[in-house]
Amino acid sequence: FLTYSDRRDLREQVCRAWMKRGELSADRDNSVLAVQLLKLRKRIAELHGCSSFAEFQCLDKMAKTPANVIDLLENVWARARKSANRERLALEQYVESTGEVLDGGIEFWDWRYYAEKVRKTRYDLDESLIKPYFSLQSVTEAVMAVSKNLFGLRYIRRHDVEAYHPDVDVYEVRENVADTKTGKLSDKLVAL
């Protein structure tokens, strides 16, 4: 809706309703549960010898420490902000080129709408023409080929392993070098 509706007032109404969806009324106040959850997380961290739940969560993750997570987020934020500012400028230039005047300038509810207009103007891309090249099967094969080239991984479809849903494919993941089993992948991808 936010991408295609020509009615700015309705885009704003939808956007504001979406942003307020989590506002609490007295009958939905879950702050007591939130406090209990935080206390339990603190206890879990302590039981694992960690000073915080964030530290516990990072133990087996690539980032390893909460400080590394913050560094990554700050790095990404700086780059994303530059990119967003470039995009905002393109949207403003498009609006100006059409002679439209937006009271208050580009607002959050305008972003997708004008981004689509800019995309169509710049690239005139009909997504239905490229969709056949991005079938679920093609994308799955491409992801597996890339991970094979980058990480030396091989995927063996396992029909003998029961999946949690009929639409799920199960693969055994092996490293090419020593042909050792490194894991299992349950693949439930959805094509939109």
Side-chain angles (χ1 to χ4, degrees), residues 10 49 53 70-71 92 94 97 100 103-104 125 135 142 147 177 191:
L10 294 181
F53 189 73
I70 295 298
D71 289 345
E92 289 169 345
Y94 174 83
S97 75
E100 265 185 275
D103 193 26
L125 178 66
S135 70
S147 67
V177 178

Side-chain angles (χ1 to χ4, degrees), residues 134-148:
F134 293 98
S135 70
L136 183 56
Q137 182 67 30
S138 298
V139 171
T140 301
E141 289 170 5
V143 167
M144 290 179 177
V146 167
S147 67
K148 179 181 180 181

Side-chain angles (χ1 to χ4, degrees), residues 152-170:
L153 299 176
R154 211 166 38 96
Y155 299 86
I156 302 165
R157 177 92 183 269
R158 295 289 306 267
H159 298 282
D160 60 317
V161 176
E162 188 177 337
Y164 62 89
H165 189 277
D167 293 342
V168 173
D169 296 328
V170 176

